[in-house]
Amino acid sequence: QVQLVQSGGGLVQPGGSLRLSCAANGNIFTINTIDWYRQAPGKEREFVAHITSGGTTKYADFVKGRFTISRDDPKHTGYLQLSSLKPEDTAVYYCNAILYTTDLDEFEYWGQGTQVTVSS
């Protein structure tokens, strides 16, 4: 059984920073890709950032150098560093991972979501 457990959200003032974590627990052999998405109230879920097993990254245009995606493979954990936050970044942030279990089966998992609120 595999789970993605997220942590690190909260309330922050405009211009502030937060680091979100996404830890994969269970019978994991390796993680292939890790993505982050977000969903604001009344809006559809949107792509934020992507990282491959080789460390190649891709970001949504609205990130504009403010967010950084990274990973720690020995810990089976992905991170999203949020900086220069704006009120419009307020949303529930979700991680998504495609990984291989110890049986070498490939699965896609979603984290439970974590709230990020940017407000003064």
Side-chain angles (χ1 to χ4, degrees), residues 2 26-33 53 76 97-109:
V2 174
N27 299 324
I28 301 160
F29 176 65
T30 188
I31 298 176
N32 188 358
T33 59
S53 58
H76 297 312
I98 296 177
L99 57 86
Y100 291 93
T101 65
T102 51
D103 294 329
L104 298 183
D105 291 322
E106 184 182 80
F107 292 100
E108 179 180 12
Y109 291 93

Side-chain angles (χ1 to χ4, degrees), residues 6-109:
Q6 295 183 225
S7 60
L11 173 65
V12 64
Q13 293 185 342
S17 299
L18 284 173
R19 190 176 80 156
L20 308 183
S21 299
C22 174
N25 300 321
N27 299 324
I28 301 160
F29 176 65
T30 188
I31 298 176
N32 188 358
T33 59
I34 301 173
D35 288 0
W36 288 90
Y37 290 79
R38 70 184 188 183
Q39 187 166 18
K43 296 187 177 181
E44 294 186 352
R45 189 172 298 188
E46 62 179 352
F47 166 77
V48 177
H50 168 87
I51 187 168
T52 68
S53 58
T56 300
T57 60
K58 180 180 178 180
Y59 297 93
D61 289 343
F62 63 77
V63 170
K64 294 182 180 178
R66 300 183 299 124
F67 300 171
T68 302
I69 189 172
S70 62
R71 56 193 290 162
D72 185 334
D73 288 333
K75 294 183 178 179
H76 297 312
T77 299
Y79 303 97
L80 185 66
Q81 176 71 42
L82 311 175
S83 303
S84 301
L85 283 162
K86 306 173 183 179
E88 52 264 42
D89 295 317
T90 296
V92 177
Y93 284 71
Y94 296 90
C95 66
N96 172 280
I98 296 177
L99 57 86
Y100 291 93
T101 65
T102 51
D103 294 329
L104 298 183
D105 291 322
E106 184 182 80
F107 292 100
E108 179 180 12
Y109 291 93

